[in-house]
Amino acid sequence: MIKGILALFNLGLIYNPMVLLGILSGFIAMGALEDEQLHALYTNYHLYLLMLLIACLYVYFFKRTFMQNGYDTDWKATIQTMVGHFLMLVVSFILSMLFVMSISFGGTEEEVDYDALPGFTQVEQDIKNQQKELQENYDAIMKAIDTPVM
């Protein structure tokens, strides 16, 4: 994994402003938003239209391709560059979110008090009691195995 990250620096891809913006926005989104908000964010087409607008403005003002005479814009090449920068922005946004999810996968989980939950049925309570009983039996068996008989 470290080798892949170093390759991004060596190739200079990470210094592209669209990639940096995608990584930064992905990290901010993962750090600031809850799961439902994230789902609403990345399934909303307005986000991708905004990314397309940002990529188009960046290419138009900083990476525009000119014809050989130096005055006229080569629109075919410029539009291809716009699409490429848009894809870089989207892919880096998504991959940075996945990166944050992968390193935070083993996070802390809270113990749920099932008795306090509304709508907790008797069947669920019986299953929970059976689970406790099986765990106690398992612990007793493991203790008996560890204790030598003389």
Side-chain angles (χ1 to χ4, degrees), residues 8-123:
L8 288 175
F9 285 102
N10 289 340
L11 292 174
L13 182 63
I14 202 156
Y15 299 118
N16 186 317
M18 293 295 106
V19 174
L20 283 174
L21 181 64
I23 291 171
L24 182 66
S25 60
F27 283 168
I28 290 172
M30 286 300 291
L33 301 176
E34 298 295 327
D35 291 340
E36 296 84 20
Q37 293 171 329
L38 276 173
H39 181 71
L41 177 71
Y42 69 78
T43 56
N44 191 349
Y45 72 94
H46 291 101
L47 170 71
Y48 300 104
L49 287 177
L50 176 66
M51 288 182 175
L52 180 64
L53 177 67
I54 291 170
C56 288
L57 289 174
Y58 172 73
V59 169
Y60 183 76
F61 287 112
F62 299 110
K63 297 288 184 177
R64 188 173 13 164
T65 306
F66 291 99
M67 296 280 199
Q68 287 190 358
N69 63 12
Y71 297 110
D72 297 328
T73 302
D74 184 4
W75 285 107
K76 182 180 177 185
T78 301
I79 290 174
Q80 288 175 346
T81 307
M82 287 177 182
V83 170
H85 278 77
F86 167 68
L87 292 176
M88 279 193 276
L89 181 60
V90 170
V91 168
S92 63
F93 174 72
I94 292 171
L95 289 179
S96 65
M97 288 176 35
L98 289 174
F99 178 73
V100 171
M101 281 194 326
S102 69
I103 62 173
S104 66
F105 182 67
T108 60
E109 295 183 14
E110 296 178 12
E111 182 86 20
V112 177
D113 184 15
Y114 291 103
D115 298 328
L117 291 177
F120 197 66
T121 65
Q122 184 62 36
V123 174

